[in-house]
Amino acid sequence: PNVGIGVASPSAILDVRRGDASGKIAEFHTSTGFGIELGSSQSEAYIQAGSSQALLFNTNDSNERMRITSAGNVGIGTSATSAKVIIDRSANSSSPTTFKTANSYLQLGGSDYNGSGSVYAIGFGYSGGATHSPAYMGFQLTSVGSYTKGDLVFRTRDSTSDVATTERMRIDASGNVGIGASTVDHKLHLEQSDTTVCFTKTENSAGALLVGLNGSGNSFVSAQTSGKPLILETQNSERARITDSGILLVGKTASGTANTGAELRSGVSNHAVVATSSSEVPVIVNRRDNDGSLINLFRQQTHIGSIGVLNTNNMTVMGTAADHAGIQFGTEAIFPMEGGSDADGTISFGSSSG
């Protein structure tokens, strides 16, 4: 038979009811006064431990599984509750060495799933009843086939208003990492929507390597460390560098004609091109097909002459202005030229006034 306390027709083995709508319904205490209380109102029910007591939840012959301390800290699998929530497998047990569901300390989602794009998220920061948390980390489904797959997503907002967060980083199911990228196409995909730096590497506040878009919308890589070059390497060996003064060095680490390698300079106050070799030809100029110029010579943006090839294998040195002489080196012969053409009988060697 059912037993009723405070009710004439009990609906359970033990049915205890108050005469009003809110308050303590039952309490169980030891002789010292410590114990547990049960109570309810129209909007909430409660289980309450006595003063300074922890509330324990046990299974399997008094084996503790969870506790809530008097300070409100929660321990699952542990009685050491130094933080708001601590999850442990059991005291002094070994932590798992493999990733699988049974080894998870916390699992978000089980049999629940939705279509592609649905999320399993953890919110961070002050919410105060607002619609949006300031930050989230979560798993977003990209395929619901079989046991599903998806991406790990990180979101924040740059506002103190109750507005939605913006995705900042994504690790997709294939292991690609995207920062600021809506579509992750590479192992590391950095994307910036405006003309600012996309990547910065700073070392001890001495300088930085910058990658991004400049004010003109052009991509750039910039070494910002004062007095240091931008170095390009392959196979862990330096192949080229751009000095802090803007000189491109290939095959050499210091500028100067005595150092083997090639240089490109601004040419404003120094040589524009420098090539130095210890035992090989420093410069090779090759025209693959027809006759013509190998090197064109200019002064103040005006073409004044050239070095080239004529008649397949004859070298020529000539000026381009009218009445300016040139010369063609043929087979056992030297031919005078004028204005790019042969000029027998019209070219003088030397000056009549000399």
Side-chain angles (χ1 to χ4, degrees), residues 60-71:
N60 194 21
D61 195 19
S62 299
N63 287 318
E64 180 182 331
R65 307 304 184 186
M66 184 177 78
R67 70 168 50 205
I68 304 174
T69 70
S70 60

Side-chain angles (χ1 to χ4, degrees), residues 6-28:
V7 57
S9 300
S11 59
I13 295 296
L14 178 61
D15 190 347
V16 181
R17 305 191 187 187
R18 287 179 60 93
D20 53 12
S22 177
K24 185 189 303 182
I25 296 176
E27 59 179 342
F28 306 89

Side-chain angles (χ1 to χ4, degrees), residues 107-128:
Q107 173 74 28
L108 299 186
S111 60
D112 57 320
Y113 72 94
N114 204 336
S116 179
S118 57
V119 297
Y120 302 79
I122 301 174
F124 297 89
Y126 174 79
S127 60

Side-chain angles (χ1 to χ4, degrees), residues 287 289-293 308-316 318 327-331 333 335-337 340-342:
R287 185 181 179 104
D289 298 318
N290 56 349
D291 293 346
S293 297
V309 61
L310 189 63
N311 297 321
T312 305
N313 57 9
N314 291 353
M315 190 182 92
T316 62
M318 65 182 74
I327 193 169
Q328 177 186 176
F329 297 90
T331 304
F335 304 100
M337 303 183 72
S341 302
D342 290 340

Side-chain angles (χ1 to χ4, degrees), residues 65-319:
R65 307 304 184 186
M66 184 177 78
R67 70 168 50 205
I68 304 174
T69 70
S70 60
N73 293 351
V74 177
I76 301 176
T78 179
S79 59
T81 53
S82 56
K84 274 300 179 184
V85 178
I86 292 182
I87 301 176
D88 201 351
R89 300 186 69 83
S90 63
N92 302 317
S93 65
S94 298
S95 59
T97 58
T98 59
F99 287 91
K100 58 183 181 180
T101 304
N103 289 342
S104 299
Y105 281 74
L106 179 66
Q107 173 74 28
L108 299 186
S111 60
D112 57 320
Y113 72 94
N114 204 336
S116 179
S118 57
V119 297
Y120 302 79
I122 301 174
F124 297 89
Y126 174 79
S127 60
T131 302
H132 305 283
S133 296
Y136 295 95
M137 177 177 69
F139 172 76
Q140 185 170 36
L141 284 175
T142 58
S143 175
V144 295
S146 190
Y147 288 96
T148 75
K149 69 175 183 178
D151 303 342
L152 189 60
V153 180
F154 300 82
R155 302 175 64 96
T156 64
R157 70 175 181 223
D158 188 18
S159 172
T160 57
S161 301
D162 182 18
V163 296
T165 57
T166 300
E167 181 177 323
R168 306 302 186 185
M169 185 173 77
R170 174 180 294 256
I171 304 174
D172 71 12
S174 65
N176 293 342
V177 179
I179 300 176
S182 56
T183 301
V184 185
D185 299 322
H186 311 284
K187 279 300 178 185
L188 178 60
H189 188 151
L190 306 180
E191 189 171 306
Q192 185 75 15
S193 60
D194 54 13
T195 55
T196 57
V197 174
C198 189
F199 170 81
T200 302
K201 171 63 175 70
T202 302
E203 184 68 25
N204 298 329
S205 302
L209 173 67
L210 309 181
V211 179
L213 298 177
N214 61 21
S216 301
N218 298 318
S219 301
F220 72 87
V221 178
S222 177
Q224 297 289 304
T225 308
S226 178
K228 299 295 183 180
L230 176 63
I231 297 176
L232 305 179
E233 294 186 356
T234 62
Q235 298 295 316
N236 295 320
S237 295
E238 179 178 333
R239 307 303 183 187
R241 66 170 56 194
I242 302 175
T243 68
D244 63 332
S245 60
I247 299 175
L248 173 61
L249 306 178
V250 179
K252 59 197 306 183
T253 59
S255 179
T257 56
N259 300 317
T260 300
E263 298 183 35
L264 288 179
R265 306 174 180 175
S266 65
V268 175
S269 59
N270 210 331
H271 313 295
V273 180
V274 176
T276 301
S277 175
S278 59
S279 59
E280 299 293 334
V281 178
V283 178
I284 295 177
V285 180
N286 180 38
R287 185 181 179 104
R288 292 188 55 190
D289 298 318
N290 56 349
D291 293 346
S293 297
L294 293 171
I295 299 175
N296 286 335
L297 307 174
F298 285 74
R299 184 180 185 279
Q300 294 183 345
Q301 295 80 51
T302 299
H303 188 193
I304 61 170
S306 63
I307 300 173
V309 61
L310 189 63
N311 297 321
T312 305
N313 57 9
N314 291 353
M315 190 182 92
T316 62
V317 179
M318 65 182 74

